[in-house]
Amino acid sequence: MKTELKFALASATAAELLVIFTVDQSVDGTPADIPAVFPLTESQTVHDSIGEILTSGEFRSTANETLLIHQPKSFAAKRVLLVGIGKAADPASTTGPGVVALRKAAGTAARYAKSRGLRALTIALPQTLVEATDAEAARTIAEGVIAADFDPDTYRSDRKDQSLTSLTLLGSERIDQPGTLAGFEEGVILGESQNFARALINEPGNVLTPTVLGERAKAMCDEVGLTCEVYSTAKLEELKMGAFLGVTRGSAEPPALIVAHYEPANPTSEVVLGLVGKAITFDTGGISIKPADGMEKMKYDMAGGAAMLGAIRAIALLKPNVRVLAVICSAENMPSSRAYKPGDVLTAMSGKTIEVINTDAEGRLVLADGLHYAKQLGATHLIDAATLTGAVGVALGVHNAGAFASDEATWAKFEDGLKLSGERFWRLPLHSEYREQIKSHIADLMNTGGRYGGAITAAMFLKEFAGDTPWIHLDIAGLAWLDDAKGWISKGPSGVAVRSIVAWVQQYA
Ligand code: BES
Ligand code: MN
Ligand code: ZN
């Protein structure tokens, strides 16, 4: 998709489809003044043209509501699409909803256009409508449109390429042009990096083996100028990654340990951010095999690793002034005569011993060694992402991912980043009492902690390997795959966490 930011009057710009966002400022069902609803004060004729629709009550500007106007009066565009962004937070204020609503509305516009074969999108940057700077709004629109452009039907032989050919964002000439352009370009990079992760997650397990994931990671790193090494069994043995190796044993597919480094030109501190991802390319559960029903979805058990690859791709292009390294642990979890078994005791790279209770709790095993290795490579702060537990979905449903943090300052930076990414992560506790549940009689730890607080005991397990290094753990099992399409995004891989991780990294730059 070609992307461009122009500073020009929306009404005077020729376009196949011009998108205008409108906000519902009606109080007690009475529509507000047209200027308040549509403050893109270009000319009276524009107001007259759209005003009638807005005052008619037929189009109420509720969130993601759409209305298409052909050959609109006083516009150079062939079509105008009105997209509601919902109610202003406070009816008395002139500001409207925030970046989350705007991202969805932008995505709604893009998917509306795509589904009708309209592939060139022109969008008017809303001004006083949203609680965001022009730069944030520009960034958000780019993110929303690019995420909406993704479709998961890659293997359908009747697939029609409906992807957008261009996105043109129109800003008023009066606004901060360099700032808005920087925001827009950032949004493009973030949207494309999120889609990079989604394309990986979407791949079936027979196509995307750990080896292939390593190749794709390497190709991406070469493209954006990151150094990248991909290791396999021999290196895991050399590093004594006994936990990771245990998981790999059952599969004929060799594992991949992917290590990427981002080195800024002028690092401003000694901070090294370590990004660690779980990338199980298919999780059968191993000897503790999963039920057949729904097992096909376990191809997305590499979504944490994909998120880290998407994040470091964006970082390479955005060039923040902070060192970043990524460690992605990829394997296939299979049952076989060589597979690890319940009761086995594994010795992790850190020297800690682990009694395997359930071979389906494999993610924490590969991450145990990944976290330790990231520290050894010099990480001063750690963040991991993983589709780690079904329990996190039981606890939080599909509207919040789980987050854990061992350090308040590190968490505060992550939380600040969420304001921009708009993603929802809910912090869960790490009190020491939970540690009791993963005590083993034969080894230092067990790899499961029973039915209660399953997401927490999994996090407590990881904490043993993060040690004293400030650390954040993201359990994205409930959000990494969307079972239903929404108006603004397809079903399938969501790419959750990519943008929040980048936003966290940017806090250190
Ligand atoms: N990959 C799964 C977690 C998962 C579940 C991801 C549902 C996405 C959707 C993980 O490896 C797993 O199997 N966890 C077990 C842990 C249990 C054995 C302690 C689980 O959640 O059941
Ligand atoms: Mn599992
Ligand atoms: Zn898993």
Side-chain angles (χ1 to χ4, degrees), residues 23-27 85-98 101 128-131:
V23 63
D24 176 5
Q25 289 193 331
S26 61
V27 184
I85 48 179
K87 250 203 181 329
D90 169 7
S93 88
T94 51
T95 55
T128 57
L129 294 186
V130 285
E131 291 158 7

Side-chain angles (χ1 to χ4, degrees), residues 226-314:
L226 290 168
T227 57
C228 176
E229 304 296 334
V230 183
Y231 304 107
S232 194
T233 312
K235 180 76 170 186
L236 268 57
E237 281 165 355
E238 180 194 317
L239 293 171
K240 299 195 162 61
M241 291 184 155
F244 189 173
L245 276 166
V247 175
T248 72
R249 282 186 58 88
S251 176
E253 289 294 341
L257 171 65
I258 303 163
V259 184
H261 288 270
Y262 165 72
E263 186 65 38
N266 302 300
T268 48
S269 70
E270 292 308 304
V271 169
V272 180
L273 302 175
L275 279 41
V276 181
K278 166 182 174 181
I280 300 297
T281 57
F282 195 80
D283 181 12
T284 64
I287 295 297
S288 315
I289 199 160
K290 286 182 183 294
D293 199 25
M295 201 204 273
E296 72 284 352
K297 274 177 60 184
M298 280 302 115
K299 69 172 188 174
Y300 85 80
D301 211 18
M302 34 61 72
M308 291 313 181
L309 288 172
I312 203 155
R313 178 191 184 276

Side-chain angles (χ1 to χ4, degrees), residues 1-241:
M1 187 195 317
K2 238 181 62 205
T3 54
E4 191 187 3
L5 174 63
K6 278 199 207 158
F7 297 96
L9 274 184
S11 56
T13 303
E16 190 177 37
L17 179 69
L18 171 68
V19 177
I20 294 171
F21 299 111
T22 59
V23 63
D24 176 5
Q25 289 193 331
S26 61
V27 184
D28 303 329
T30 316
D33 290 348
I34 302 152
V37 178
F38 182 37
L40 241 174
T41 319
E42 304 217 354
S43 71
Q44 192 54 46
T45 39
V46 166
H47 274 186
D48 292 347
S49 160
I50 304 235
E52 206 173 301
I53 295 164
L54 296 178
T55 48
S56 70
E58 291 159 40
F59 178 77
R60 308 193 53 89
S61 304
T62 58
N64 308 309
E65 186 180 353
T66 50
L67 183 78
L68 183 67
I69 311 158
H70 274 264
Q71 288 160 15
K73 261 193 297 180
S74 50
F75 281 92
K78 280 197 208 152
R79 304 169 189 83
V80 161
L81 178 68
L82 302 182
V83 183
I85 48 179
K87 250 203 181 329
D90 169 7
S93 88
T94 51
T95 55
V99 289
V100 174
L102 182 59
R103 188 178 295 101
K104 286 182 183 168
T108 300
R111 292 198 72 76
Y112 184 101
K114 272 163 70 79
S115 68
R116 285 160 182 82
L118 302 168
R119 300 173 62 185
L121 202 59
T122 303
I123 296 184
L125 183 71
Q127 293 205 251
T128 57
L129 294 186
V130 285
E131 291 158 7
T133 63
D134 292 321
E136 286 166 357
R139 172 183 149 161
T140 300
I141 290 170
E143 289 170 2
V145 168
I146 292 169
D149 199 29
F150 179 92
D151 279 303
D153 59 345
T154 29
Y155 290 92
R156 287 182 72 151
S157 26
D158 63 350
R159 180 179 214 254
K160 284 197 227 48
D161 186 9
Q162 296 275 46
S163 50
L164 296 172
T165 53
S166 68
L167 164 64
T168 308
L169 185 64
L170 299 175
S172 145
E173 276 156 345
R174 294 187 304 272
I175 66 179
D176 161 27
Q177 299 194 1
T180 307
L181 181 61
F184 183 64
E185 286 174 346
E186 193 166 321
V188 171
I189 290 170
L190 287 163
E192 288 176 347
S193 297
Q194 183 175 346
N195 285 353
F196 172 80
R198 292 165 81 196
L200 291 174
I201 298 163
N202 196 45
E203 290 288 18
N206 63 327
V207 172
L208 196 90
T209 59
T211 308
V212 171
L213 181 65
E215 287 164 7
R216 299 254 187 123
K218 184 83 180 69
M220 177 276 287
C221 286
D222 287 348
E223 203 181 301
V224 300
L226 290 168
T227 57
C228 176
E229 304 296 334
V230 183
Y231 304 107
S232 194
T233 312
K235 180 76 170 186
L236 268 57
E237 281 165 355
E238 180 194 317
L239 293 171
K240 299 195 162 61
M241 291 184 155

Side-chain angles (χ1 to χ4, degrees), residues 278 283 290 298 300-301 358 360 362 387-390 448 477:
K278 166 182 174 181
D283 181 12
K290 286 182 183 294
M298 280 302 115
Y300 85 80
D301 211 18
N358 189 316
D360 198 10
E362 84 296 341
T387 47
L388 201 64
T389 66
T448 63

